[in-house]
Amino acid sequence: MRQCHREIARWMEPLGAQVRVDAAGNFRGFYPGEHASSPRLILGSHLDTVPNAGAYDGVLGVVLAITLLEAFKERKLPFGIEVVGFSEEEGVRFGTPFIGSRALIGRLDDELLNLQDAEGISVRRAIQQFGLNPQEIPRAHVDPDTLGFIEFHIEQGPVLEELGCPLGVVEAIAGQNRLEFIFLGRANHAGTTPMHLRYDALAGAAEWLGEVERAAKAVPEAVATVGKIKVKPGATNVVPGEVHLALDIRHRSDEIRTKIVSQLIRKAEQISERRGLRLQHKVLLCQQAVRMDGFLLQQIELALQKAGCVPHRLVSGAGHDAMILAEKVPAAMIFLRTPGGISHDPAESVTAEDVEKAIECGLHLLDQLASPPVFLKRTVRA
Ligand code: GLV
Ligand code: MN
Ligand code: MN
């Protein structure tokens, strides 16, 4: 990440931008506007990624933002542009996502700072180990003169490809919950413990896993995933005594999602009770669905049309920093077509032609925003 920050700084500084890394590990590059008192618009996306990832999820949004600045050729707008490369959007290390963007809206609190990774290192400690000072997190807040946040991102799904559209505009982002479940049984000898005398934590967890899949399949548009599992002690000849599972569950309706989560907690409790296991669960994230800003959405649609694209509206199933920033500033997203709908995998890709369209659309959008006085009067919500 340090190398990545250095590289981006090397691209931005020659454009006249001031760069820094805030105390939550977000890269911040500020390209000033016409006047020292000009408000600012934030552009960007995240720089972290998932294990065995593709090359575009997140980072493309940062590269596109810098490309737009390069295209200005030192021209100044009535607003400055802050490029943000968010840290820890995916939630791989600490089990909960959006750590960087939460710092920008004042939600990187003690509870989050005390969260630990698999090695027992807290977020606070990780920040210190990176050479940053957690006490300076308040300085990461969005500036009060911020007009909005716009994020370019790959769609990570098949919709735009099916429609034959290079770009689309996001109208809402589905909410998501992330939870950790721990099934506790009793580790014992695999050869000598009769089947009826076992408290097999993994067999209980496996039964529950079937329920997770059934519950999501029973509700249209619901998705539920257990993408991480740890078995202790983890030996072929030992009955598993402890299993940790990470549940990720999403739906655009907060009510429906919350209902499925409650149902799955109940199922885990019933299975544990029947099998003589103990159960613990911890909520790591409960993020509501978020609508994007209506004004920015219309401006993006106009820019898409000017770039010769049909302004198709989508709901994002993936989570994004834009859904966090939306709590404080008008936020919007532009999606790029994702070949095969493949993401979170090395096969993830984009075409050069679609990226070119995104740049064209971004330049139209910035031109539009630089003119309507209604946009320039907007500021951060208290
Ligand atoms: C971010 O990639 C997410 O998990 O939606
Ligand atoms: Mn991702
Ligand atoms: Mn992403």
Side-chain angles (χ1 to χ4, degrees):
M1 189 53 77
R2 220 186 297 280
Q3 281 173 2
C4 175
H5 288 164
R6 257 202 301 273
E7 182 68 14
I8 295 172
R10 212 170 56 79
W11 299 340
M12 283 201 77
E13 276 169 341
L15 305 174
Q18 302 134 22
V19 308
R20 69 179 174 116
V21 175
D22 71 26
N26 299 304
F27 177 90
R28 316 279 289 257
F30 183 64
Y31 178 85
E34 282 166 353
H35 309 288
S37 61
S38 297
R40 70 179 64 196
L41 173 68
I42 304 178
L43 300 179
S45 190
H46 60 99
L47 293 172
D48 65 314
T49 192
V50 294
N52 198 36
Y56 302 95
D57 172 6
V59 70
L60 179 66
V62 181
V63 174
L64 270 169
I66 299 171
T67 308
L68 293 176
L69 297 187
E70 280 175 358
F72 286 175
K73 304 211 185 327
E74 295 178 26
R75 174 184 151 206
K76 292 288 190 289
L77 297 180
F79 44 81
I81 292 183
E82 182 172 6
V83 176
V84 182
F86 292 102
S87 67
E88 287 296 321
E89 187 269 355
E90 300 281 5
V92 173
R93 180 165 175 189
F94 296 97
T96 189
F98 314 124
I99 294 178
S101 45
R102 281 193 265 185
L104 266 75
I105 61 153
R107 267 176 52 198
L108 180 42
D109 53 18
D110 276 344
E111 190 184 341
L112 196 46
L113 284 169
N114 291 334
L115 214 61
Q116 295 181 351
D117 69 6
E119 267 82 56
I121 297 167
S122 67
V123 174
R124 191 190 310 277
R125 187 84 199 105
I127 286 172
Q128 286 163 339
Q129 287 177 343
F130 195 77
L132 298 165
N133 180 358
Q135 301 215 316
E136 287 177 10
I137 286 170
R139 283 193 54 221
H141 286 193
V142 282
D143 234 69
D145 66 356
T146 303
L147 297 165
F149 171 60
I150 297 167
E151 180 171 7
F152 284 90
H153 202 286
I154 52 168
E155 180 204 337
Q156 310 181 276
V159 177
L160 291 173
E161 185 171 59
E162 247 170 54
L163 292 167
C165 291
L167 306 172
V169 56
V170 177
E171 60 179 349
I173 304 177
Q176 54 174 287
N177 290 46
R178 298 199 193 182
L179 293 96
E180 183 186 38
F181 283 80
I182 305 175
F183 287 80
L184 296 158
R186 189 185 304 140
N188 210 338
H189 197 291
T192 60
T193 317
M195 295 309 285
H196 70 284
L197 290 178
R198 292 179 179 214
Y199 299 94
D200 184 329
L202 183 55
E207 190 183 333
W208 177 73
L209 206 46
E211 296 292 345
V212 171
E213 195 182 31
R214 251 190 301 284
K217 278 185 167 170
V219 180
E221 295 180 45
V223 286
T225 310
V226 173
K228 201 167 86 177
I229 181 162
K230 189 164 77 189
V231 181
K232 290 185 187 175
T236 313
N237 59 350
V238 185
V239 176
E242 188 174 327
V243 178
H244 296 234
L245 305 106
L247 174 69
D248 174 315
I249 178 156
R250 308 187 191 203
H251 196 280
R252 68 161 94 181
S253 153
D254 295 325
E255 192 189 332
I256 293 175
R257 201 182 62 253
T258 308
K259 222 175 219 133
I260 303 172
V261 170
S262 308
Q263 179 191 336
L264 288 175
I265 293 172
R266 230 177 10 256
K267 282 279 181 204
E269 286 167 350
Q270 287 164 356
I271 291 167
S272 301
E273 198 178 316
R274 176 162 37 77
R275 288 174 169 268
L277 306 172
R278 278 180 301 125
L279 178 80
Q280 294 170 2
H281 76 272
K282 187 158 74 179
V283 177
L284 291 169
L285 179 80
C286 182
Q287 174 61 47
Q288 307 287 77
V290 172
R291 296 199 71 76
M292 297 288 94
D293 181 70
F295 173 82
L296 287 177
L297 217 144
Q298 284 170 0
Q299 292 293 320
I300 292 170
E301 285 178 327
L302 189 61
L304 284 170
Q305 280 165 336
K306 286 182 188 164
C309 301
V310 178
H312 186 78
R313 290 188 177 201
L314 305 104
V315 172
S316 174
H320 297 286
D321 295 304
M323 75 195 302
I324 303 301
L325 274 274
E327 209 177 284
K328 275 275 162 74
V329 301
M333 291 192 77
I334 298 156
F335 272 176
L336 285 84
R337 165 164 59 189
T338 308
I342 306 270
S343 185
H344 282 183
D345 184 89
E348 178 184 282
S349 66
V350 279
T351 68
E353 292 76 21
D354 289 358
V355 173
E356 220 174 297
K357 274 280 170 224
I359 296 166
E360 199 183 327
C361 165
L363 289 173
H364 285 305
L365 179 62
L366 292 176
D367 270 338
Q368 290 162 214
L369 296 179
S371 42
V374 52
F375 179 64
L376 293 165
K377 283 194 193 116
R378 298 166 142 226
T379 43
V380 169
R381 290 187 284 274

